Amino acid sequence: MSSFSAVDIITAKRDGAALNDEAIAWMLGAYVKGEVADEQMSALLMAIFFNGLGSHELLTWTDCMIASGERLNLKGLSRPTVDKHSTGGVGDKISLILAPLVASCGAAVPQLSGRGLGHTGGTLDKLESIPGWRALLSNDEMRDQLEGVGAVICAAGQGLAPVDRKLYALRDVTGTVESIPLISSSIMSKKIAEGTKALVLDVKVGRGAFIKTIERARELATTMVSLGTSHGVATVAQLTSMNQPLGRAVGNALEVTEAVEVLQGGGPLDVRDLTLGLARIMLELVGINEDPAAMLDDGSAYEVYRAMIKAQGGDPDAALEVARFRDVVLAPQDGIVQSVDALNVGIAAWRLGAGRARKEDPVSAGAGVMCLVREGDYVEAGQPLFELFADDDDHLSRGRETIIGAVKLGEEPARQEPILLEKITAG
Ligand code: URA
């Protein structure tokens, strides 16, 4: 490949020019090899942050990210493959229910997930609160489990789009995470490399999401749908509200318990409804005509969940850790709940010990928040609003300080916002 100058590429993007295929391939390749320095890639990322990438540039950028590593081969399975990705929300335990549910309807769900950083929890952290469960599987183990059980949730291997790990770490410390082309290429390169044939994207929007406005969420969703479609992955996105936490439980073991309640046909209605909505889209994408609600209610989805946990060494019957220190936050007055701030609750759960500040930090399995009221509820003074759980007093008081004020009370009937906001399809 011909050689380029990193500085020329940076200045071209800085000045608003489009980069050609060769320049993009050279820059990403040289960065992986260590021939382009972090400060040069940081400058290019900032130029992309401000000037964006055109649709052809974005396609090439994503292709080069995919080509930086391996592509899993999921061909030859007896079931059609379909996956889901969520951009991250507070109390978002949907994957734990959705993967076995869709598998119980006849599809194979290869969920390669991550750990949480910041105020939204990671699916792997949640499952690791189950004694014995392991996140690391070889590609062969993953394939066998997909064929045998139909669902796998495991850590994305180091081999998938490895340049993304380097770029993401750099974006994290250079203020360049919130760029639509960079987010969409990061997410979609990993999903395309994973080998799924179909994908549903749950794009969260609101106070507890990293995308705050519907316009930005729409733009992100449209960009990702078009990237998936142009790579032969049937992709649909749903925009969903993340103003108040999803369900009642926020925290690792607390969320596993709530997910199991939904898998057994109960649990909070918002969690059940959102899961069923996503399941219906996934099944439609792969042409399976089954009713997922029936699979929740008759125990079929729960059976697949148990098999999925056991296949990865976990004991679905084991008691989960319960944090020793508890506290309850009470309503200061009577009133109607106007809002429950998902961001506040997410940060509180994080400070209670459920999340991590740096990627090498441990998380507490039992820490977190139970949200005891929802928007629109009438509460009386002294009624419990939140129950807090932590492993020590220090974490408990930090969580308590954060969550005070997360519930706004008023006299007006609260606006009841739907969770499902919009569906974005290709074309
Ligand atoms: N998740 C990712 O994998 N990448 C991003 O850029 C943002 C969220």
Side-chain angles (χ1 to χ4, degrees), residues 36 147 151 169:
V36 163
E147 185 60 39

Side-chain angles (χ1 to χ4, degrees), residues 61-73:
W61 182 276
T62 309
D63 283 340
C64 292
M65 289 179 72
I66 298 168
S68 73
E70 61 175 338
R71 279 185 91 149
L72 296 188
N73 182 0

Side-chain angles (χ1 to χ4, degrees), residues 67-97:
S68 73
E70 61 175 338
R71 279 185 91 149
L72 296 188
N73 182 0
L74 298 181
K75 294 202 178 80
L77 291 175
S78 63
R79 308 150 173 255
T81 50
V82 56
D83 193 6
K84 165 255 184 185
H85 177 85
S86 158
T87 57
V90 176
D92 186 355
K93 69 281 295 173
I94 299 292
S95 291
L96 276 57
I97 313 160

